[in-house]
Amino acid sequence: MQPTAHDEDAGLIDRRVLVVEDDPTVLEIVTTYLEAAGFLVDQATDGIAAVQRAEECHPDLIILDRMLPGIDGLEVSRRIRSISRTPVLMLTALGTTDDRIDGLEAGADDYLAKPFSPRELVLRVRSILRRTINEDTPEVPFDAGPFHLDVAARTVSKNGTDLALSTREFDLLAYLLKHPHQAFGRDQLLRAVWGWEFGDLSTITVTVRRLREKIENDPASPTILVTVWGVGYRLDISEEKTP
């Protein structure tokens, strides 16, 4: 029995997903499940075509195989991230922690190791899109120290300058801005921001490092997104603007 869209996901119907996969069997399976779940699917089978299709069809999400002819998935992710905030879910047959970190460092928002369950893939896609699509009743924008957060528009600025964040970086910063001066463990953030009950905690570490590069004056000595030893991380903000 093929998956179908749930009523709670009605707002996700007809969202466009670009699937980049050179294995015809995997491409067919992924496409079949996504279309059955109500998504519109575009396809590409190599890295060069992936970048072109991403520019042409403006997908809401990209499912990206890491091992591709032409240019590999890491380089595709970097090129897409340089021109777009479109969330990227990377598929990889390379299952080590370092391999997954490489994908996150290249700008991927999520990853799924091969072999994978097509049903889990659909759930991951829905989870990412729920966080990137405006709700019917958007949250009111607010200021927190030097930051201005607009969840509905999915924008955040520091001292009036817009920050170019990936989907996960935005989600993490938005969550911490709503809970300033509170310490969170990496497992707590994995559940609250990623929606995962379990997963590789290095995902949090990499995202924190990338976020610090964009919000800290000196990422090597953070004063905003600080480490709480033995616990996790805390966002410290004051009402005064920072340089």
Side-chain angles (χ1 to χ4, degrees), residues 95-98 100-101 111 190 196 198-204:
T96 70
T97 297
D98 286 345
R100 293 192 291 270
I101 288 175
Y111 60 83
L190 199 67
W196 301 354
F198 58 89
D200 188 346
L201 295 180
S202 64
T203 300
I204 307 297

Side-chain angles (χ1 to χ4, degrees), residues 16 29 48 58 77 79 84 89 95 103 106-107 110-112 125 127 143 151 159 188 198 200 203 230-231 243:
R16 187 171 297 276
I29 291 173
I48 299 297
H58 303 293
S77 183
R79 294 189 186 186
S84 170
L89 169 58
D110 201 349
Y111 60 83
L112 194 59
V125 168
S127 176
D143 295 314
V151 174
N159 294 333
Q188 291 177 290
F198 58 89
D200 188 346
T203 300
V231 180

Side-chain angles (χ1 to χ4, degrees), residues 25-45:
T25 301
V26 175
L27 182 61
E28 180 181 2
I29 291 173
V30 171
T31 298
T32 298
Y33 270 76
L34 289 173
E35 289 180 341
F39 298 107
L40 302 176
V41 179
D42 290 286
Q43 300 177 340
T45 57

Side-chain angles (χ1 to χ4, degrees), residues 4-240:
T4 56
H6 299 290
D7 290 341
E8 63 184 15
D9 291 319
L12 306 183
I13 298 299
D14 291 341
R15 296 293 170 176
R16 187 171 297 276
V17 179
L18 172 61
V19 181
V20 185
E21 172 61 65
D22 65 325
D23 184 320
T25 301
V26 175
L27 182 61
E28 180 181 2
I29 291 173
V30 171
T31 298
T32 298
Y33 270 76
L34 289 173
E35 289 180 341
F39 298 107
L40 302 176
V41 179
D42 290 286
Q43 300 177 340
T45 57
D46 64 71
I48 299 297
V51 177
Q52 293 174 341
R53 291 298 294 146
E55 294 177 344
E56 293 169 356
C57 70
H58 303 293
D60 296 292
L61 181 141
I62 299 170
I63 297 175
L64 178 62
D65 186 25
R66 175 165 174 168
M67 307 297 288
L68 292 168
I71 57 176
D72 68 11
L74 295 180
E75 180 60 24
V76 172
S77 183
R78 293 188 189 98
R79 294 189 186 186
I80 289 173
R81 188 57 66 231
S82 71
I83 61 173
S84 170
R85 298 184 185 182
T86 303
V88 174
L89 169 58
M90 186 168 288
L91 304 179
T92 176
L94 305 174
T96 70
T97 297
D98 286 345
D99 292 321
R100 293 192 291 270
I101 288 175
D102 287 344
L104 295 169
E105 292 282 16
D109 300 282
D110 201 349
Y111 60 83
L112 194 59
K114 294 181 178 180
F116 58 87
S117 161
R119 293 177 183 273
E120 180 180 1
L121 177 65
V122 171
L123 290 175
R124 291 284 187 97
V125 168
R126 285 175 174 159
S127 176
I128 295 171
L129 286 176
R130 286 192 201 105
R131 294 178 180 275
T132 58
I133 294 173
N134 295 346
E135 300 293 338
D136 290 337
T137 306
E139 297 181 34
V140 177
F142 69 92
D143 295 314
F147 297 98
H148 178 77
L149 175 68
D150 187 335
V151 174
R154 291 194 67 81
T155 60
V156 61
S157 61
K158 180 186 177 188
N159 294 333
T161 300
D162 288 341
L163 300 175
L165 305 180
S166 71
T167 300
R168 291 303 190 191
E169 291 163 1
F170 178 90
D171 291 339
L172 177 59
L173 181 56
Y175 183 78
L176 293 174
L177 284 171
K178 296 174 187 176
H179 304 86
H181 311 296
Q182 297 183 39
F184 295 96
R186 290 188 297 169
D187 56 340
Q188 291 177 290
L189 294 173
L190 199 67
R191 289 192 296 270
V193 179
W194 273 253
W196 301 354
E197 287 301 320
F198 58 89
D200 188 346
L201 295 180
S202 64
T203 300
I204 307 297
T205 306
V206 173
T207 307
V208 166
R209 183 166 68 246
R210 291 176 58 85
L211 185 55
R212 280 173 170 164
E213 293 172 354
K214 299 176 181 180
I215 68 172
E216 298 281 358
N217 295 324
D218 181 3
S221 300
T223 59
I224 300 174
L225 181 46
V226 299
T227 298
V228 182
W229 297 108
V231 180
Y233 303 101
R234 183 183 68 236
L235 192 74
D236 287 343
I237 52 176
S238 66
E239 293 306 314
E240 296 181 1

